[in-house]
Amino acid sequence: MKNNPLNGYQPDYDVVTTADAQEHEIEHAKKTVANAAETPETDAATINPDTGEIIGTTDATAAHDGDADDVAPTIHYPTCRFCGKQTIPVAPYKSDADADEAATLKCDCFDARQYQDEVERKRQRDENIKKLRQRLCDFSDYTAARNMELAGDLYDFLLNVGINVLDANIAGATIKVGRFTVKFSVGNKSALSIAFTYSDGAKLEV
């Protein structure tokens, strides 16, 4: 015990032991700072190396959570373009527009049904024009054997006439080309009929 004339008796302190303890605290603080810097997923701390006091933190995890890569993609539900009715996706669609088209073609609202009828008419028209082209090509061998080439402007003209008959712009047509008579007509089932008649009376009809 030391006799202090101001404070009375005070206990003796080991100066060396105290210095070692302070140095140990400083080394521990430095290691804490180093570990925080090497671990980006945890909070990084700023520590006073002299006192070991934490004076600031940075939440690295919170910053990472804000990355755009962590955001889940939004699911698009097929939606009718007319009434807005949504359905569960049943197929992988190439785009949102394709998904909405599929939903519209299956919806039972009035406008959707009108649209579905229009789409079906267009599909049927395209199919009929395809058949018309094939029939004209089938006639090419028949006309070629009788010295008439069914190609070029003549082919395009007959194709255009046939399309107008299919579209009901005209009820039917009879065209004379050289020694041929070509007749277009529509049957009871709206099927297009084409007849090629040669001057000798030979006839080919589809």
Side-chain angles (χ1 to χ4, degrees), residues 18-30:
T18 302
D20 289 344
Q22 290 178 347
E23 183 178 355
H24 176 73
E25 290 179 358
I26 292 173
E27 288 298 326
H28 177 71
K30 289 181 179 179

Side-chain angles (χ1 to χ4, degrees), residues 106-118:
K106 292 182 179 180
C107 188
D108 59 357
C109 72
F110 177 79
D111 289 335
R113 292 198 303 269
Q114 294 291 103
Y115 176 73
Q116 292 161 18
D117 291 341
E118 179 184 344

Side-chain angles (χ1 to χ4, degrees), residues 111-127:
D111 289 335
R113 292 198 303 269
Q114 294 291 103
Y115 176 73
Q116 292 161 18
D117 291 341
E118 179 184 344
V119 170
E120 176 58 24
R121 284 192 297 269
K122 183 179 183 304
R123 187 200 66 78
Q124 188 62 48
R125 180 180 185 271
D126 292 342
E127 184 65 24

Side-chain angles (χ1 to χ4, degrees), residues 37 42 52 56 74-75 90 94 105 108 112 121 140 144 153 160 167 195:
T42 58
T74 302
I75 298 176
V90 296
K94 293 182 180 179
L105 291 176
D108 59 357
R121 284 192 297 269
S140 62
D153 292 340
N160 187 52
D167 291 342

Side-chain angles (χ1 to χ4, degrees), residues 7-21:
N7 299 325
Y9 289 100
Q10 293 183 347
D12 292 331
Y13 290 99
D14 190 341
V15 177
V16 176
T17 301
T18 302
D20 289 344

